[in-house]
Amino acid sequence: MTEVSIQPEFFLLDAGDGRPALVGTYCRSCARRSFPPSSTCSWCGNEQTDTVHLSRTGTLWGWTAVTAAPPGYRGPVPFGFGVVELPADGIRVVTRVAVADPDQLHHGQPVELVVDVVHTDEESGARVVSWAFAPAGHQEAR
Amino acid sequence: MGEPVVEIAGVGLHPFGRFPDRSVTELGIHAVRAALNDAGITARPAFQAAFCGTAYAGVAAGHKVLAALALTGCPIVDVEAGCASGAAALMLADGAIRAGQYETVLVFGIEKMPKGIIRSTFFEPWREEVGLAATPAYFALRAQRLMRESALTKEDLAAVVVKNRANGAANPDAMFRTPVTAREVLGSRVVCEPLHLWMLCSPNEGAAAVVLRRAEGVSAHRSRVVVRAATLRSHLPGNVLGEATPLAGLIDDRDIPSPTTLAADAAHEESGVGPDEIDVVECQDTDAARELLAYEELRLCAPGEAGSLLASGEVHLGGRRPVNPSGGLLSKGEPLGASALGQVVELTLQLRGRAANQVDGARVALAHTVGRGANASVVILSR
């Protein structure tokens, strides 16, 4: 079945090595990274930026489960939601979390990037997929 | 001639709640008329400028209210700063009067919020589609971090709700007027762990209005309420989760001051009034943890001490410095554009000695909101 990235510009289903990746911004002026990518650096406003692939592993910083569909969302509930720290990139990203039971998660838990199905598009039949982070070694969300 | 003083000449409120038969314009008319009556203003023009806080009322919403009252002709500017919209309007009016631009300015806030989780153009369509436009989830992450770093429990969160709902029971303008027990709060359904339904405020409808007037020097009029500071601050790069909504990719460190702390420090400096001199506080309790975070950010207690402050009873009615004697947003509900001015109305009544839950001898009051963006406002009033 066809899979479509929720944001093909910065969530790559195949980063060239057959694995997914998030794309961020690297600032040539302040050397900080940010996500999602932007034409300007969110730290210093500089326009000399490059796109970079962010690391696929991090640690869980915050997590919860969303129990009622938020505005514009057509996928199932509950779903995991959180913030993951990417130490290699020096940033945190807001993300879906592949585990929707908060009791199974803990602060600082190692997590890795996975592909997560959000919903199936009724017209095309394509599966719309997002990034998510899952506990390391956890079965892929899809 | 002393420094120009900005006094609150009149206040008016439309109760906060759900009013399916009334338009947002009608809510505004009610509040503005009440404020002008309170100020004793009958002559025209009634004011030289008007600022209207609103996030959802649409194009020229403030104009529609004043057109219905035949009070147009002056500059009318709608102001949007998320939940801090009303305070942003107040800041602009206060500054304009201090600068000598106007003598009398009307400030009002109006809102009719849709039911359920607030939909906001702040979130891009992809963020909505992926489920990341879940405002209560961001609140939950903020609550979780505060619990982790300040050693708070769900029982502490429930205690905030119990306090505020008990206060709200006496407020005729609140949406929820029944007290609740901690057991009931913890028994309500989990919206986003650790937040239960009753720990979250309800978006709703309402309006509030304030007439500001320039007065020279110090008056002997003891009941006069003056604006000592009206500050608004946005987040610094790298600090967002401390406030309404985080943007991905930004580090959220405690050594970067939050918008609330920035606004509070600026307000204390501007007014010359320190945190210890505040007698009564209305703060943003969009969720129960948000109030506890405000204790720390507003410097009502040291970092990590919010739970102790709550347990001490100091912030309860009858305590040294009650917080949210109106019942807070947990009792009143939150009409975004009106909520900050609703706090100013409550605190003006407190300083006049005429509030429903009167804080004995209140002389100095502080109002605080945090809005999407992130924006934070702090208003200091005194008599």
Side-chain angles (χ1 to χ4, degrees), chain A residues 4 7 16 19 22 24-25 31 36 44 47 55 62 64 90 98 102 109 111 116 118 122 124 127 141:
Chain A
V4 180
Q7 259 298 353
R19 298 166 66 198
L22 291 174
T25 294
C44 72
E47 291 178 18
S55 52
T64 187
Q109 191 166 358
V111 290
D116 189 15
V118 178
E122 284 177 14
S124 65
R127 297 206 298 186

Side-chain angles (χ1 to χ4, degrees), chain A residues 35 64 67 90 92 96 119 130, chain B residues 129-130 191 193 241 248-249 251:
Chain A
F35 176 83
T64 187
T67 59
R92 298 182 180 128
R96 289 168 70 93
H119 64 89
S130 168
Chain B
E129 191 176 357
V130 79
V191 175
E193 182 69 29
L241 189 54
I251 282 186

Side-chain angles (χ1 to χ4, degrees), chain A residues 6-7 10 32-36 42-43 61-75 79 81-83 85 90-96 102-103 107 118-119 121 128 130-131, chain B residues 117-120 124-138 140-142 144-145 148-149 189-195 237-239 241 246-253 256:
Chain A
I6 195 97
Q7 259 298 353
F10 56 78
R32 297 235 208 189
R33 295 182 177 205
S34 45
F35 176 83
S42 61
W43 293 96
W61 184 84
W63 67 96
T64 187
V66 178
T67 59
Y73 176 71
R74 287 171 288 160
F79 64 93
F81 178 106
V83 170
E85 193 152 25
I91 60 173
R92 298 182 180 128
V93 298
V94 176
T95 181
R96 289 168 70 93
D103 288 344
H107 185 69
V118 178
H119 64 89
D121 188 81
V128 178
S130 168
W131 71 93
Chain B
I117 298 177
I118 297 174
R119 187 163 203 166
S120 169
E124 301 90 335
W126 69 263
R127 233 183 254 273
E128 287 199 337
E129 191 176 357
V130 79
L132 298 183
T135 302
Y138 293 99
L141 297 188
R142 188 176 61 200
Q144 182 182 59
R145 179 182 69 161
R148 183 167 68 234
E149 295 184 354
R189 75 177 168 84
V190 173
V191 175
C192 285
E193 182 69 29
L195 297 177
N239 183 301
L241 189 54
L247 298 167
L250 295 181
I251 282 186
D252 179 43
D253 282 328
I256 300 173

Side-chain angles (χ1 to χ4, degrees), chain B residues 90-225:
Chain B
L90 188 82
M91 176 191 73
L92 294 173
D94 177 66
I97 293 174
R98 284 182 202 280
Q101 193 175 7
Y102 308 117
E103 291 282 324
T104 307
V105 179
L106 172 71
V107 185
F108 61 115
I110 57 175
E111 213 72 82
K112 246 179 127 68
M113 303 294 302
K115 287 190 178 177
I117 298 177
I118 297 174
R119 187 163 203 166
S120 169
T121 54
F122 183 82
F123 293 114
E124 301 90 335
W126 69 263
R127 233 183 254 273
E128 287 199 337
E129 191 176 357
V130 79
L132 298 183
T135 302
Y138 293 99
F139 291 177
L141 297 188
R142 188 176 61 200
Q144 182 182 59
R145 179 182 69 161
L146 183 70
M147 290 167 73
R148 183 167 68 234
E149 295 184 354
S150 294
L152 294 164
T153 65
K154 274 193 180 188
E155 282 68 29
D156 293 315
L157 303 190
V160 172
V161 184
V162 170
K163 171 180 77 72
N164 290 0
R165 288 288 296 269
N167 293 354
N171 182 352
D173 298 318
M175 184 176 184
F176 300 109
R177 298 192 55 203
T178 47
V180 295
T181 64
R183 194 188 166 119
E184 289 171 319
V185 175
L186 295 170
S188 65
R189 75 177 168 84
V190 173
V191 175
C192 285
E193 182 69 29
L195 297 177
H196 291 242
L197 184 64
W198 289 11
M199 295 175 185
L200 290 154
C201 86
S202 299
N204 66 354
E205 307 169 18
V210 175
V211 178
L212 294 188
R213 189 158 56 197
R214 179 186 168 96
E216 293 297 334
V218 178
S219 164
H221 193 351
R222 282 184 56 224
S223 65
R224 189 176 70 173
V225 176

Side-chain angles (χ1 to χ4, degrees), chain A residues 23-43:
Chain A
V23 177
T25 294
Y26 171 80
C27 175
R28 282 185 236 158
S29 175
C30 74
R32 297 235 208 189
R33 295 182 177 205
S34 45
F35 176 83
S38 157
S39 59
T40 56
C41 171
S42 61
W43 293 96

